[in-house]
Amino acid sequence: MGMLERIKESVSDIIYPRRCPLCGALINSNERICSKCSQDVEFIRRPVCRICGRPLYSCNCKRGDHVFIRNVSPLIYNKTAKKGIHRLKFRNSPYSSIYFGKLMAHSVRTEYLDNGIRFDYVMGVPMHRDDFMTRGYNQAALLAETVAKETDIPFLNKVLIKKVKNHPQHTLSYAEREKNIKGVFSVQRPEMIKGKTILLCDDVITSGFTLDECALTLLDAGARAVYCVTATVAVLSEMPAIKAASFGVLR
C-alpha cells in the first residue's frame, strides 16, 4: 500500500470509524472483529452432521428429515455470534453481513465447490415486504450477495418471495414453528429456476423449518436441487425456545 492510500485509509477511519461487526466496539482498519469477540466466537469443528451442519453432539438428523440436501455453516450460534446476528437484523448494521458472508463463502468453497457441487444461483431467504420496509434491507439477501461476490455464483433476488406475513419464528416454540411457516413463500418467474441447483442463504438454522419450506417451494416450482448455507447453527444449549422438543426429532 502506497503513502497516498495509507493517508486515505487513515482519514476514512477518522470520519467513518470501523466497528466490530459482532459487538460494535471500535476496531482498527486491519482488524475484522475486536479482540474480545475474536476470543469468544466459536467456529464449527468436525465431526459435523452431513445434513444440517451442526456438530454431531447436538444433532440426530436422519436422511429424509429435511427437504434441502445439505446445510453448511462456519459458526456456532453462541452469545458472541448472537450479538452479531442481532446487530445485523435489529440494530441497523448491514455492514455486519460482510463479515458473516465471507465466512459463509469459505464454507461454500470448502464443503461444496471443492467437492464438485456447482450452483446456478445463490439467493437469500426472503422477507415479507412489510418487514423489509420496516428494516430497510433483508439480511439474508445481503449475506447471499456477499457469498455470490466471493464465490462467483450469480445472485438471484426477488424470485423466491414471502407472500404471507407470519409470526417471527424465534418467538415461537418448536411445535408452533412448523405450522407457522407453512405456505408463506412462493416463486415468481418459475422459468428462472426450472432445472437449476440453488444455494439458499440465511443467518441461522434452528429448527430448519424455514429452510425446508423455502426448499419445498423452490422444488415445487421446478428447481432441480436446493443446498443451504447459514452464518450460524444453533446448538441445544443455545435454543431455549425449543429445548422442550425431543432431541430425537430435532431438525
Side-chain angles (χ1 to χ4, degrees), residues 32 43 71-75 85 88 96-113 122-125 139-148 150-151 153 199-204 211 228-232:
R32 290 198 303 168
F43 287 87
N71 176 67
V72 297
S73 304
L75 299 173
I85 295 297
L88 173 61
S96 296
S97 65
I98 298 174
Y99 170 76
F100 288 115
K102 287 187 175 183
L103 293 180
M104 292 164 68
H106 177 75
S107 294
V108 169
R109 284 192 295 268
T110 58
E111 299 297 328
Y112 291 146
L113 302 183
V122 57
M123 61 175 61
V125 170
Q139 76 281 348
L142 294 181
L143 294 171
E145 284 189 86
T146 297
V147 170
E150 294 289 318
T151 60
I153 303 170
L199 178 62
L200 184 66
C201 299
D202 205 3
D203 53 289
V204 59
L211 294 175
C228 300
V229 57
T230 57
T232 62

Side-chain angles (χ1 to χ4, degrees), residues 103-230:
L103 293 180
M104 292 164 68
H106 177 75
S107 294
V108 169
R109 284 192 295 268
T110 58
E111 299 297 328
Y112 291 146
L113 302 183
D114 288 353
N115 290 293
I117 301 170
R118 295 293 179 262
F119 301 102
D120 295 292
Y121 296 114
V122 57
M123 61 175 61
V125 170
M127 294 177 70
H128 189 269
R129 60 181 179 274
D130 291 349
D131 295 326
F132 182 87
M133 293 299 292
T134 298
R135 186 171 298 170
Y137 57 89
N138 174 6
Q139 76 281 348
L142 294 181
L143 294 171
E145 284 189 86
T146 297
V147 170
K149 180 179 179 180
E150 294 289 318
T151 60
D152 292 323
I153 303 170
F155 172 62
L156 188 63
N157 198 24
K158 298 182 180 178
V159 170
L160 179 66
I161 65 168
K162 189 172 184 180
K163 62 182 181 179
V164 177
K165 184 175 172 63
N166 60 349
H167 295 291
Q169 288 285 85
H170 70 270
T171 66
L172 303 176
S173 69
Y174 179 86
E176 295 169 325
R177 291 182 180 213
E178 186 171 18
K179 182 179 180 181
N180 182 61
I181 203 68
K182 286 294 183 184
V184 304
F185 302 109
S186 65
V187 171
Q188 300 184 120
R189 296 177 291 156
E191 68 278 3
M192 292 287 295
I193 62 165
K194 186 175 181 180
K196 306 299 185 182
T197 299
I198 305 297
L199 178 62
L200 184 66
C201 299
D202 205 3
D203 53 289
V204 59
I205 179 172
T206 49
S207 66
F209 291 139
T210 298
L211 294 175
D212 276 334
E213 189 64 20
C214 286
L216 180 62
T217 303
L218 290 166
L219 292 170
D220 284 348
R224 177 177 177 271
V226 179
Y227 293 77
C228 300
V229 57
T230 57

